[in-house]
Amino acid sequence: MSWRDNLIKIEPYVAGEQPNKTDFIKLNANENPYPPSPKVLAAVREFNTDTLKKYPSANAVPLVNAIAKREGLNPENVFAGNGTDDVLSLAFRALFNSDKPIIFPDITYSFNTVWCDILRIPYETIPVDESFNINPADYARENGGVVIANPNAPTSIGRDLDFIREILDGNIGSVVIVDEAYVDFGGVTAVPLLKEYENLLIIRTFSKSRSLAGMRLGWAMGSPELISAIYATKDSMNSYPVDSIAQAAGIAAIEDEEYFQATLKRVITTRERLTKELRSMSFTLPDSQTNFVFAAHPDIPAHEIFGYLTEQDIYVRWFNKPRIDNHLRITVGTDEDTDKLIDALRDFVYEKRWQAREHALNSGWVTED
Ligand SMILES: *Cc1c(COP(=O)(O)O)cnc(C)c1O
C-alpha cells in the first residue's frame, strides 16, 4: 500500500493550446475575435479600487439582477459564477446525487466526463447518429440526470424547442441541464420553457458571445429550487465566487445589448462566408449555429490539415477521439484571419490534389491527357 494509491486518477480536460507567442491566428478555443463592449472597458477603468478591501457581494446580487432583467426572469431564477465551467461543476455537484447514471451524448462538451470522474457521478454516454444528431427519444429512459449542449459542441448543430421539450417530457423525474454556451450565435433558447419545467436548468457564458473569456463569468437559470441547491453548494465550498471587478464588467456587458447584437452579426456573417468557402473546397460541414464550424475533408485526413495549419501559425482544434478524429473544429475569427485561413487551406488542398495526381501518373493508374 502506498500513498500513491490514494492520489486522484483522472483524465483531465485539455483546452485548446494557448501558444506562448503573439504572431499567430488563434481559432482553437472558440473565443470571440472582437473585444468586449467599450462599456466593459469603462466599467473596469472607473472601478473604485477602494472597494476591493471588502468581500464582493457573495451571491453576485447586482450582476444576477442585471441578468434576470435581461432574460425576463426573477433574480431567484439566476445563479452567477466564475465561468460556465464553475457553474456547471457546482450544478453537477448540487443536482446529480442519484445512484443512477447521468446521461449525455457521446459527442459533446468533453468536460462532462471530467466532472463525473472527479465528483464520482456515474454516467453513460448515448451515441449521436452518423450526422452527429441527437435523437431525443434515446433520452427517455431511467437516469440520474441529463446534460445536453444546445447548440452542441463540437458539432455546431443547434436544435429547436420541440427537441428540448421532447427531452424534458421524457425526463419528468430528472434534472435536465441545457448548456447554451453558443445559443446567441443562432440557436434557440429554452428560457421560455422554464415556466413549464421546474427540473430544467439552463447554462450560459460570457466567454463566447460577450467576448469575456478572460474574465471568467457564467450563469445558470432555473426554478428557485434548483438555483437554491446550487447556492447551498457554492456556500459550502467557496462563498464569494465572482470578484467585484468581474461583477462590474459583467453588468456592463449584459447592459450593452446594442454592441452585443452588432458583434454577433459580424461573427455570423463571417461564419456564413467561411462555410461557403470550405464547401467550395469540398469540405463537408453541418450548418453551424455557433461561432465555430466542424469540418471534414473527403480526401485529406484532418490531422494532416491540422499539422499544416499549425506550421502556418494558424491554430485550430483537432480531437484525437473516436468518431471525430477526421474533423477540425475551427473558430470563426475576424475577416482578416478568415481570409488567411482560407488562403492556407486552398494552398494545401491544391498541393494535395497535385500530389495525388502525380502519384497516380507515376504508378501508371492514369495517363497524361
Ligand atoms: C466554452 C464552453 C463552456 C465554458 O465556458 P466558460 O464560461 O468559459 O467556462 C461551456 N460549455 C460549452 C459547450 C463550451 O463550449
Side-chain angles (χ1 to χ4, degrees):
M1 187 65 194
S2 154
W3 52 268
R4 290 192 178 88
D5 297 332
N6 297 331
L7 300 188
I8 195 163
K9 285 160 202 78
I10 48 164
E11 200 64 60
Y13 174 80
V14 184
E17 231 182 312
Q18 301 280 1
N20 223 343
K21 49 185 180 186
T22 48
D23 198 19
F24 65 98
I25 295 177
K26 189 168 187 306
L27 306 175
N28 67 352
N30 296 345
E31 292 141 326
N32 200 305
Y34 301 110
S37 153
K39 295 196 170 138
V40 171
L41 175 68
V44 173
R45 271 217 178 115
E46 289 154 23
F47 185 82
N48 176 3
T49 50
D50 282 359
T51 63
L52 286 179
K53 69 187 179 210
K54 294 191 291 181
Y55 282 107
S57 165
N59 290 347
V61 174
L63 175 60
V64 160
N65 289 345
I67 293 168
K69 186 168 166 219
R70 197 232 168 220
E71 299 296 333
L73 299 169
N74 294 317
E76 75 248 34
N77 298 115
V78 178
F79 174 91
N82 286 324
T84 302
D85 291 338
D86 174 48
V87 177
L88 270 170
S89 72
L90 285 171
F92 271 46
R93 189 72 199 80
L95 313 175
F96 295 153
N97 292 293
S98 166
D99 297 331
K100 293 174 203 148
I102 70 161
I103 54 176
F104 47 84
D106 63 336
I107 297 174
T108 192
Y109 193 39
S110 46
F111 236 126
N112 288 351
T113 50
V114 178
W115 287 313
C116 285
D117 286 345
I118 203 161
L119 299 169
R120 301 180 189 191
I121 297 168
Y123 69 92
E124 275 171 30
T125 58
I126 298 181
V128 296
D129 71 16
E130 323 76 67
S131 315
F132 300 129
N133 278 310
I134 297 166
N135 178 6
D138 295 345
Y139 292 77
R141 50 179 261 191
E142 236 193 350
N143 61 66
V146 180
V147 188
I148 298 286
N150 190 45
N152 197 13
T155 65
S156 82
I157 299 168
R159 303 289 296 271
D160 61 13
L161 266 197
D162 286 343
F163 163 87
I164 297 294
R165 195 184 276 283
E166 193 178 336
I167 291 194
L168 286 162
D169 288 339
N171 282 286
I172 48 173
S174 300
V175 169
V176 176
I177 295 184
V178 178
D179 180 350
E180 293 190 341
Y182 298 103
V183 76
D184 301 316
F185 298 103
V188 179
T189 180
V191 165
L193 300 182
L194 286 173
K195 286 195 289 293
E196 291 171 61
Y197 298 90
E198 288 181 315
N199 58 328
L200 167 64
L201 188 81
I202 300 171
I203 309 277
R204 296 269 187 86
T205 178
F206 284 77
S207 298
K208 280 70 187 236
S209 54
R210 287 187 172 80
S211 311
L212 283 171
M215 201 91 213
R216 312 309 305 133
L217 282 169
W219 77 89
M221 298 176 277
S223 60
E225 239 173 303
L226 296 188
I227 296 296
S228 331
I230 301 174
Y231 275 122
T233 309
K234 178 217 52 144
D235 288 335
S236 314
M237 295 168 74
N238 173 10
S239 306
Y240 301 95
V242 187
D243 72 72
S244 314
I245 299 176
Q247 290 192 38
I251 294 166
I254 282 284
E255 290 179 347
D256 196 350
E257 188 71 24
E258 198 180 323
Y259 181 87
F260 171 66
Q261 295 296 345
T263 307
L264 291 178
K265 217 165 146 190
R266 288 176 86 177
V267 172
I268 291 167
T269 305
T270 310
R271 175 187 75 204
E272 297 310 300
R273 180 165 76 87
L274 173 62
T275 301
K276 242 192 233 154
E277 293 279 3
L278 289 171
R279 285 181 179 150
S280 80
M281 290 179 243
S282 307
F283 280 93
T284 55
L285 60 156
D287 287 328
S288 166
Q289 263 97 60
T290 63
N291 68 337
F292 60 89
V293 295
F294 195 53
H297 197 277
D299 308 322
I300 315 172
H303 190 243
E304 278 186 34
I305 305 173
F306 172 78
Y308 173 79
L309 289 176
T310 306
E311 276 167 30
Q312 308 299 310
D313 282 330
I314 301 174
Y315 289 75
V316 301
R317 196 84 204 263
W318 172 69
F319 297 95
N320 189 9
K321 285 189 181 161
R323 302 194 73 188
I324 56 170
D325 61 359
N326 200 32
H327 279 73
L328 295 174
R329 192 197 70 186
I330 308 173
T331 306
V332 177
T334 59
D335 277 310
E336 202 190 333
D337 290 351
T338 305
D339 288 341
K340 287 184 185 149
L341 168 75
I342 291 166
D343 286 348
L345 284 173
R346 274 204 193 290
D347 286 350
F348 193 59
V349 170
Y350 184 80
E351 188 190 307
K352 282 278 152 188
R353 285 218 176 108
W354 184 254
Q355 280 173 11
R357 188 175 155 72
E358 288 283 287
H359 182 75
L361 275 174
N362 292 339
S363 56
W365 280 101
V366 289
T367 47
E368 196 90 55
D369 45 35

